[in-house]
Amino acid sequence: TIRFILIQNRAGKTRLAKWYMQFDDDEKQKLIEEVHAVVTVRDAKHTNFVEFRNFKIIYRRYAGLYFCICVDVTDNNLAYLEGIHNFVEVLNEYFHNVCELDLVFNFYKVYTVVDEMFLAGEIRETSQTKVLKQLLMLQSLE
Amino acid sequence: MPAVSKGDGMRGLAVFISDIRNCKSKEAEIKRINKELANIRSKFKGDKALDGYSKKKYVCKLLFIFLLGHDIDFGHMEAVNLLSSNKYTEKQIGYLFISVLVNSNSELIRLINNAIKNDLSSRNPTFMCLALHCIANVGSREMAEAFAGEIPRILVAGDTMDSVKQSAALCLLRLYRTSPDLVLMGEWTSRVVHLLNDQHMGVVTAAISLITCLSQKNPEEFKTCVSLAVSRLSRIVSSASTDLQDYTYYFVPAPWLSCKLLRLLQCYPPPEDGAVKGRLVECLETILNKAQEPPKSKKVQHSNAKNAILFEAIALIIHYDSEPNLLVRACNQLGQFLQHRETNLRYLALESMCTLASSEFSHEAVKTHIETVINALKTERDVSVRQRAADLLYAMCDRSNAKQIVAEMLSYLETADYSIREEMVLKVAILAEKYAVDYSWYVDTILNLIRIAGDYVSEEVWYRVIQIVINRDDVQGYAAKTVFEALQAPACHENMVKVGGYILGEFGNLIAGDPRSSPLVQFNLLHSKFHLCSVPTRALLLSAYIKFINLFPETKPTIQEVLRCDSQIRNSDVELQQRAVEYLKLSSIASTDVLATVLEEMPPFPERESSILAKLKKKKGPGAVSGNELEEGKREGGELNGAGERPGDSSAIGASNASTPSPSADLLGLRSAAPVSAAPPSAGSLLVDVFSEAGPAAPAAGANDDGFLRDLEPPTESSDSLLAEGPGDSDSAPPSVVSEDPAPPLPESDELLNKFVCKNNGVLFENQLLQIGVKSEYRQNLGRMYLFYGNKTSVQFVNFTTTVSCPGELQSQLNVQLKPVDPLVEGGAQVQQVINIECLTVFSDAPLLNIKFRYGGALQNLTLKLPVAINKFFQPTEMSSHDFFQRWKQLSQPQQEAQKIFKANHAMDTEVLKAKLLGLGTALLEKVDPNPDNFVCAGVIQTKAQQVGCLLRLEPNAQAQPGEQMYRLTLRSSKDTVAKRLCELLAEQF
């Protein structure tokens, strides 16, 4: 079960924060900072997994952005690692070579993409074709 | 394909975001935001009704401001208004604002729910999904109340669009997690389970998460999902890499759905239906086979997706733990990953192997990878990988490899990351205890642990080494010697000082024979650390000092000097001051006998669960150690502590708190439940007796005026711990013997006797009801023995009588007189009995002590051997080498010599051997035997009728391998029976 999804840049600026658990605002801020601290010190020789409080963070870095998913310790690491990649490929397709600025200016659309692929902390849809088709349809609506 | 330009549709928003990004400082940003907030507020308050587009734009700006970290206290109403717009983009922003800024304002929730309700019934799949996502994101109780009944209907309705079904399934899951009482599946169960058969893989992917969660809570109702999941899995696993089209990811068919199916199956035991099980085993075999096939793509995404399924399949195999073939194959597969160039795979293989190690089918297979794992511990760059390697070493450890693993973990500790040191320390301590074959190795390991990682050695670890040393006679001398050596280091860790202080205070006498560790040397060494230590450690050291005064009367003036100095007796810390004052007073006013009684050796600790194991469990959570540990506990039976140590032995655990040594608790055991000295104040307590110097049965009134005594009075609370069992409901209480005749001696009475050959004080016997402590002293041919009978129950013993008999010829050899003892022993109380012994002539057997009393109506009757042996009447005799061998030759007749060659039962430690030989009562003659490894002793046994000279020679082959070490013991004496008897007694001691 996913507890939260974070997209942060190397400087620690949050580009997306999606919470699947109740946290108050201060706690969210603390989590964001902690995740940034544990993830940015790691390099390519490290695993893509970090123990985090009573959970674990599965993360992957794309250019200057860290995509982090916090899941339960018993969850399948590789499934979520590729879940991230699947999500990134969808963003890339949707925004035509996605870059950090796309996520800034279209933050409200990123939430839509997330909800198509992940809901209630679970993987909702994994087919890139189906997700993009749905996004295209929504895009056409006013 | 869709491409989105920056902020299309809302130019104002894009401009605002650009402005914010261009702000050079935080102040500028705040200024810009405040300007925007004022603008939006005026628009919202303005008379002119805003159109949907403007409302959407401003609400979106507010959301952006909120996401930047600023508080938003208005705009909620406008957002709610957007929900009822007919335009998707407006509705979407409204729902997003609501989802991100949940507000518990009930008025608003009612409006929101109303809008959701409309959208759910709109039959517009896009609107339905927006509404469902909002419920799934907010998941409040109010929403559950409003929609928990409606959503299952949407989920299973025949005409619901696939995408809506997906959202409905997960929306329901969210509500079930927050308010399980409101989600009633009942009538829907079967139809929900059948979503596993849905032809849309996305629907299956979403629904299976719901089904898994529901199955965990109601496995019985959902168990039909097993066969459906197996057939779905089978179809995916056997499909070609392109069959599933949209759901194929880098040539891997439906990896996420496969993982979810395998996860769902882990909620259940292996399928009972043979066909289903066969099909599943086939799937698992196929997955394992695929891992060996050449990859269809070099991309990491391909191998990750494939391995995600593989690891989930292995998790299921481990969960079933019933297919040896699959378990071993899984282990081999993971073994390959251990050397993989991908760090992720090495990490996951180590993690997964940890659980495999606890299966009886794969434990041995896991062990074959030990060298690789040790290598990982040494060379992995990522600390989390090293941590997994350490976990795996711990999991694969058993008696065959414990020494290697503990050594590797110890050496790793020197460089280990701070974050994992404490856990490593606990693990090393547990393994050392669990698999210790000889206690010297155990002691060495723990002391090394303290030396290497003293800061991370928690209280539990050093408590435990002390508990074990106290409970095991055979390691005490070695422990004393080892701590003494460890304390020589100029800078040693405070935990080392604690262990050292405690152990030397108890067993320093065992190494005092060596002038290099004479009493004063020991004391000076300890005291040299004193000033660098914290208050609790100092308190402990003070207690060690007073124990020294008892062990070594010659240190009394020095120690009194130390206690008397201002820094002690006027210490600003009240605990230290009190100890200094009381110990000083105790050492000045109490006689040697009294000191010996008050300060006698700590009684053994009750056997119980290892405190460090408990700590590790607490640290890692119950799941982390449970299975494996409990399993191990059963298998090994607690190596160091015999079968008594069982996790979950509640009576033992109950007793444990009272006697755990703690730095500020009383070392002397007087405040604790240590049974020898603990008695409720009301009983004729030992302390009162000894201080009044009156007879044992005459408690001195008024003794409580003395503050010291009050302090030492044991509280009653701790005596409850052993009392849980009432009469009759304990199956481990001694059998009540109906006959009034003295019972035959207990089978273990000879063994109990052997414990006292080389020492005079200790616990003679203990069971659920009664503990008998003994303390004795001998002069010439006379002896006096004090027996302390402790009632461990809360119920009084009545008709308590004891008799001593000297069977056969012993009657003419030994004269034993028993002082009467009070026939009533109150619950929790202790009574003392004095026995006077006179040795008339040489003897071999031991007198029998019979104890009878009634406990809860049942007669208790037990017979022990009194720990009196002929060697108690030794007078040491010093002599030169020349004299020794001259006498040795004189005693050369065959019947004057007794010899025995026997295997060493304990480690050959010179200091321990010396201590034991001194305890025998003879003089230990240094530089007499030409071979420095040998020990020679001389003494004269004093009886009323005669004196019998004895010479002893003990020859160890210390160079032999452990396990093959032997002794040759030779005794010569002027009286043949004496040599023989001493030889028998001594052969059991080494």
Side-chain angles (χ1 to χ4, degrees):
Chain A
T1 303
I2 304 172
R3 302 306 174 145
F4 57 81
I5 300 175
L6 283 181
I7 305 177
Q8 301 176 314
N9 67 13
R10 281 156 75 188
K13 274 226 182 330
T14 306
R15 294 311 180 200
L16 172 83
K18 179 80 190 173
W19 309 94
Y20 296 100
M21 231 178 125
Q22 290 295 333
F23 298 105
D24 63 36
D25 289 345
D26 291 346
E27 188 65 17
K28 286 178 183 171
Q29 193 50 40
K30 241 170 86 187
L31 286 165
I32 286 170
E33 285 162 19
E34 275 179 45
V35 170
H36 182 250
V38 297
V39 162
T40 45
V41 295
R42 300 171 65 84
D43 65 28
K45 294 263 184 201
H46 286 78
T47 62
N48 293 85
F49 327 124
V50 207
E51 285 184 17
F52 184 79
R53 300 193 181 182
N54 293 325
F55 306 102
K56 62 188 176 192
I57 304 280
I58 315 288
Y59 74 97
R60 192 181 261 166
R61 185 178 154 179
Y62 294 87
L65 287 182
Y66 289 90
F67 285 70
C68 309
I69 292 193
C70 177
V71 294
D72 294 346
V73 282
T74 54
D75 281 328
N76 188 314
N77 296 43
L78 292 176
Y80 282 106
L81 184 58
E82 287 316 306
I84 292 174
H85 190 75
N86 203 30
F87 174 55
V88 172
E89 289 193 351
V90 167
L91 289 177
N92 197 47
E93 202 66 39
Y94 183 49
F95 290 110
H96 265 229
N97 291 326
V98 68
C99 68
E100 192 176 342
L101 278 188
D102 292 323
L103 307 186
V104 175
F105 283 94
N106 298 288
F107 70 94
Y108 56 96
K109 292 187 177 165
V110 178
Y111 281 101
T112 304
V113 181
V114 172
D115 280 351
E116 284 299 317
M117 302 186 74
F118 307 96
L119 192 64
E122 302 291 338
I123 293 175
R124 176 182 177 277
E125 179 57 86
T126 63
S127 159
Q128 293 184 21
T129 320
K130 291 227 157 64
V131 173
L132 288 165
K133 226 162 111 186
Q134 177 73 5
L135 291 173
L136 182 67
M137 188 275 287
L138 295 176
Q139 185 75 18
S140 70
L141 299 174
E142 216 192 314
Chain B
M1 274 298 125
V4 203
S5 60
K6 282 176 196 167
D8 71 330
M10 283 187 279
R11 235 189 82 76
L13 175 69
V15 169
F16 175 58
I17 293 174
S18 292
D19 283 358
I20 294 289
R21 289 178 53 79
N22 290 332
C23 286
K24 296 275 185 288
S25 66
K26 194 79 198 161
E27 289 72 32
E29 181 184 309
I30 291 171
K31 212 173 144 194
R32 179 68 185 85
I33 285 168
N34 285 336
K35 184 180 153 202
E36 192 63 39
L37 286 174
N39 174 40
I40 298 171
R41 201 177 264 119
S42 72
K43 299 280 186 203
F44 284 169
K45 278 192 179 155
D47 303 332
K48 207 172 76 183
L50 285 175
D51 61 10
Y53 171 82
S54 308
K55 231 184 262 173
K56 171 181 87 170
K57 184 179 71 184
Y58 294 129
V59 167
C60 203
K61 281 182 179 178
L62 283 178
L63 183 57
F64 183 78
I65 293 169
F66 176 79
L67 290 172
L68 284 176
H70 302 269
D71 285 338
I72 294 296
D73 53 7
F74 69 101
H76 301 80
M77 206 55 206
E78 286 73 12
V80 173
N81 287 341
L82 285 176
L83 298 184
S84 41
S85 161
N86 283 326
K87 292 189 172 143
Y88 165 75
T89 52
E90 291 170 16
K91 219 185 243 304
Q92 190 250 330
I93 297 295
Y95 274 122
L96 181 59
F97 186 94
I98 301 296
S99 300
V100 174
L101 281 101
V102 208
N103 198 311
S104 56
N105 182 329
S106 60
E107 187 61 20
L108 219 52
I109 286 283
R110 207 172 49 78
L111 292 172
I112 294 166
N113 279 357
N114 210 29
I116 290 175
K117 201 180 195 111
N118 290 335
D119 282 334
L120 284 183
S121 54
S122 68
R123 309 186 70 83
N124 176 332
T126 305
F127 290 178
M128 287 172 85
C129 278
L130 277 180
L132 288 168
H133 293 182
C134 179
I135 300 173
N137 284 324
V138 176
S140 68
R141 177 118 193 129
E142 290 87 344
M143 287 187 177
E145 279 164 358
F147 305 112
E150 174 66 13
I151 294 169
R153 214 184 313 275
I154 297 173
L155 175 60
V156 299
D159 57 350
T160 304
M161 298 275 291
D162 292 329
S163 66
V164 178
K165 274 191 193 165
Q166 287 172 278
S167 299
L170 294 171
C171 183
L172 192 56
L173 172 58
R174 171 68 198 246
L175 295 185
Y176 183 74
R177 284 195 181 128
T178 32
S179 315
D181 54 316
L182 296 177
V183 179
L184 305 169
M185 291 312 295
E187 51 184 313
W188 312 113
T189 302
S190 160
R191 294 167 77 180
V192 169
V193 170
H194 275 84
L195 289 171
L196 288 174
N197 267 341
D198 199 290
Q199 54 183 347
H200 190 285
M201 301 265 278
V203 173
V204 188
T205 303
I208 194 170
S209 293
L210 172 67
I211 294 166
T212 304
C213 179
L214 292 169
S215 295
Q216 282 163 347
K217 300 279 162 48
N218 328 281
E220 205 42 40
E221 289 163 51
F222 282 83
K223 70 177 177 191
T224 50
C225 71
V226 172
S227 61
L228 291 178
V230 170
S231 55
R232 189 91 213 194
L233 180 68
S234 170
R235 269 180 281 157
I236 297 172
V237 167
S238 58
S239 64
S241 53
T242 49
D243 283 359
L244 302 177
Q245 296 170 3
D246 290 357
Y247 289 89
T248 297
Y249 178 81
Y250 288 87
F251 304 102
V252 181
W256 293 281
L257 179 53
S258 303
C259 288
K260 282 186 173 193
L261 287 162
L262 289 161
R263 184 56 64 117
L264 170 61
L265 291 171
Q266 288 171 59
C267 302
Y268 289 91
E272 284 159 20
D273 182 329
V276 176
K277 187 170 179 195
R279 206 162 173 200
L280 176 56
V281 169
E282 217 169 275
C283 287
L284 295 171
E285 278 170 347
T286 310
I287 293 169
L288 285 166
N289 291 341
K290 280 188 179 173
Q292 296 297 324
E293 288 171 9
K296 295 191 173 65
S297 155
K298 284 198 176 122
K299 296 254 185 179
V300 70
Q301 282 76 23
H302 171 71
S303 73
N304 279 348
K306 206 163 109 175
N307 291 327
I309 302 172
L310 177 63
F311 278 107
E312 205 62 64
I314 290 176
L316 182 62
I317 292 169
I318 296 171
H319 168 77
Y320 287 162
D321 197 14
S322 62
E323 300 284 331
N325 174 43
L326 290 176
L327 282 161
V328 171
R329 282 192 67 188
C331 184
N332 293 340
Q333 181 60 54
L334 296 177
Q336 287 181 21
F337 285 157
L338 287 183
Q339 318 238 32
H340 202 278
R341 63 186 166 76
E342 282 250 351
T343 316
N344 284 345
L345 285 182
R346 296 198 302 277
Y347 173 92
L348 293 171
L350 288 165
E351 185 180 66
S352 186
M353 253 198 196
C354 239
T355 44
L356 268 182
S358 56
S359 163
E360 56 172 317
F361 301 114
S362 47
H363 183 76
E364 288 303 316
V366 170
K367 275 168 63 187
T368 60
H369 300 286
I370 184 167
E371 297 302 334
T372 316
V373 181
I374 286 171
N375 196 44
L377 185 65
K378 287 176 175 163
T379 57
E380 284 289 352
R381 278 196 48 202
D382 184 340
V383 53
S384 60
V385 186
R386 296 198 297 274
Q387 162 99 59
R388 289 287 160 268
D391 289 347
L392 178 53
L393 284 178
Y394 179 76
M396 67 161 72
C397 190
D398 62 21
R399 205 173 310 176
S400 71
N401 55 23
K403 284 207 173 175
Q404 185 187 8
I405 286 177
V406 166
E408 293 294 350
M409 287 174 109
L410 269 177
S411 79
Y412 173 57
L413 251 182
E414 309 220 26
T415 53
D417 304 75
Y418 296 115
S419 54
I420 63 173
R421 281 196 184 183
E422 187 181 352
E423 196 188 314
M424 290 285 297
V425 166
L426 285 174
K427 286 182 165 167
V428 170
I430 289 167
L431 292 178
E433 177 179 338
K434 197 148 81 175
Y435 300 113
V437 186
D438 64 86
Y439 301 103
S440 51
W441 175 73
Y442 170 75
V443 170
D444 283 342
T445 304
I446 301 297
L447 293 183
N448 263 330
L449 209 52
I450 296 175
R451 204 172 41 74
I452 295 168
D455 281 343
Y456 299 88
V457 171
S458 57
E459 307 260 281
E460 286 83 355
V461 172
W462 74 262
Y463 288 175
R464 191 65 184 157
V465 71
I466 284 171
Q467 287 166 11
I468 284 168
V469 169
I470 296 226
N471 287 15
R472 305 294 314 197
D473 301 358
D474 43 344
V475 76
Q476 290 162 355
Y478 183 80
K481 178 174 164 249
T482 316
V483 292
F484 178 79
E485 280 164 7
L487 287 173
Q488 305 285 337
C492 63
H493 195 272
E494 190 161 334
N495 281 332
M496 188 71 88
V497 179
K498 288 176 185 166
V499 176
Y502 202 110
I503 287 183
L504 292 180
E506 294 292 323
F507 308 114
N509 55 323
L510 300 181
I511 56 167
D514 188 327
R516 286 164 302 177
S517 53
S518 72
L520 264 179
V521 173
Q522 287 184 41
F523 170 74
N524 287 331
L525 180 61
L526 279 181
H527 197 55
S528 70
K529 317 283 181 195
F530 187 91
H531 301 280
L532 299 170
C533 291
S534 63
V535 167
T537 307
R538 289 187 190 195
L540 185 152
L541 285 177
L542 288 179
S543 294
Y545 297 170
I546 187 72
K547 289 218 141 192
F548 265 47
I549 293 184
N550 176 47
L551 289 180
F552 316 117
E554 67 267 36
T555 60
K556 185 164 162 178
T558 315
I559 291 174
Q560 284 184 330
E561 189 71 22
V562 167
L563 293 175
R564 201 176 286 127
C565 77
D566 274 359
S567 63
Q568 308 291 0
I569 212 160
R570 287 164 199 248
N571 194 292
S572 59
D573 183 90
V574 65
E575 177 70 29
L576 292 182
Q577 187 187 97
Q578 187 174 0
R579 283 188 193 218
V581 171
E582 290 177 358
Y583 293 160
L584 183 59
K585 195 78 178 158
L586 176 65
S587 69
S588 352
I589 62 167
S591 70
T592 320
D593 282 356
V594 170
L595 272 184
T597 309
V598 174
L599 303 170
E600 76 180 314
E601 199 177 292
M602 285 291 284
F605 289 90
E607 303 295 1
R608 58 175 127 142
E609 181 181 24
S610 163
S611 48
I612 41 183
L613 196 52
K615 162 115 179 175
L616 186 67
K617 281 183 196 161
K618 203 168 132 198
K619 201 173 159 55
K620 295 285 267 191
V625 274
S626 60
N628 196 17
E629 288 306 333
L630 293 175
E631 201 62 16
E632 286 286 310
K634 271 183 253 152
R635 227 183 299 154
E636 305 287 339
E639 201 63 27
L640 278 186
N641 291 289
E645 191 204 60
R646 288 275 164 79
D649 182 347
S650 56
S651 66
I653 290 167
S656 69
N657 292 339
S659 44
T660 299
S662 95
S664 54
D666 198 314
L667 255 187
L668 309 181
L670 293 173
R671 288 184 201 155
S672 75
V676 166
S677 44
S682 60
S685 96
L686 182 61
L687 277 172
V688 176
D689 291 351
V690 293
F691 278 97
S692 67
E693 299 265 19
N704 278 2
D705 294 347
D706 192 327
F708 174 43
L709 283 175
R710 224 179 302 125
D711 177 62
L712 290 183
E713 251 171 35
T716 43
E717 36 144 7
S718 52
S719 55
D720 287 339
S721 50
L722 286 164
L723 307 181
E725 290 174 326
D729 62 8
S730 157
D731 52 12
S732 47
S736 47
V737 178
V738 183
S739 163
E740 292 277 342
D741 292 337
L746 292 174
E748 67 267 31
S749 55
D750 278 315
E751 202 182 310
L752 298 172
L753 193 63
N754 278 331
K755 275 171 53 185
F756 288 88
V757 170
C758 294
K759 66 177 190 178
N760 289 334
N761 306 332
V763 175
L764 176 63
F765 173 78
E766 182 159 14
N767 67 11
Q768 297 273 305
L769 308 177
L770 178 70
Q771 186 194 53
I772 306 176
V774 62
K775 194 166 97 62
S776 46
E777 54 198 18
Y778 297 89
R779 301 249 186 326
Q780 307 284 342
N781 69 325
L782 299 176
R784 175 174 292 179
M785 185 180 289
Y786 300 88
L787 293 176
F788 303 93
Y789 304 100
N791 179 349
K792 290 165 63 175
T793 75
S794 55
V795 181
Q796 55 180 212
F797 296 161
V798 295
N799 298 346
F800 190 87
T801 52
T802 63
T803 49
V804 168
S805 59
C806 294
E809 55 180 359
L810 190 60
Q811 207 153 14
S812 58
Q813 296 163 337
L814 215 55
N815 181 7
V816 183
Q817 285 186 338
L818 217 57
K819 298 242 169 120
V821 61
D822 196 324
L824 197 69
V825 185
E826 293 291 347
Q830 187 185 64
V831 296
Q832 178 185 334
Q833 182 169 38
V834 183
I835 302 175
N836 289 320
I837 303 161
E838 184 184 14
C839 179
L840 303 172
T841 181
V842 293
F843 64 97
S844 294
D845 292 332
L848 297 177
L849 168 69
N850 175 257
I851 301 148
K852 282 205 224 62
F853 58 93
R854 287 192 177 272
Y855 166 69
L859 176 69
Q860 308 291 326
N861 181 353
L862 64 108
T863 302
L864 301 163
K865 291 192 175 180
L866 264 196
V868 186
I870 185 70
N871 67 295
K872 299 295 179 194
F873 302 94
F874 256 126
Q875 285 287 112
T877 317
E878 294 289 343
M879 59 181 75
S880 69
S881 177
H882 175 262
D883 289 344
F884 181 87
F885 284 105
Q886 196 176 18
R887 291 189 196 195
W888 185 262
K889 281 181 201 139
Q890 282 167 4
L891 298 169
S892 59
Q893 291 173 35
Q895 71 272 23
Q896 289 176 328
E897 180 182 282
Q899 189 173 71
K900 225 173 182 171
I901 296 172
F902 54 91
K903 238 180 172 170
N905 286 322
H906 310 298
M908 277 189 182
D909 185 283
T910 310
E911 294 309 321
V912 177
L913 290 175
K914 282 184 182 170
K916 283 188 175 164
L917 291 168
L918 285 170
L920 183 71
T922 52
L924 181 61
L925 305 177
E926 304 266 5
K927 301 196 181 100
V928 166
D929 197 293
N931 180 346
D933 288 342
N934 294 345
F935 300 91
V936 292
C937 304
V940 176
I941 291 174
Q942 309 277 340
T943 74
K944 194 178 180 191
Q946 79 231 85
Q947 300 192 342
V948 183
C950 294
L951 302 175
L952 175 154
R953 195 173 187 202
L954 181 68
E955 299 161 276
N957 67 338
Q959 277 71 42
Q961 293 291 317
E964 288 164 20
Q965 291 184 323
M966 309 278 285
Y967 292 102
R968 181 165 66 192
L969 173 68
T970 315
L971 274 137
R972 290 188 175 185
S973 102
S974 51
K975 204 157 167 33
D976 51 2
T977 52
V978 173
K980 192 165 155 278
R981 179 62 183 151
L982 284 173
C983 198
E984 287 165 10
L985 287 171
L986 269 179
E988 300 295 322
Q989 301 298 317
F990 299 109

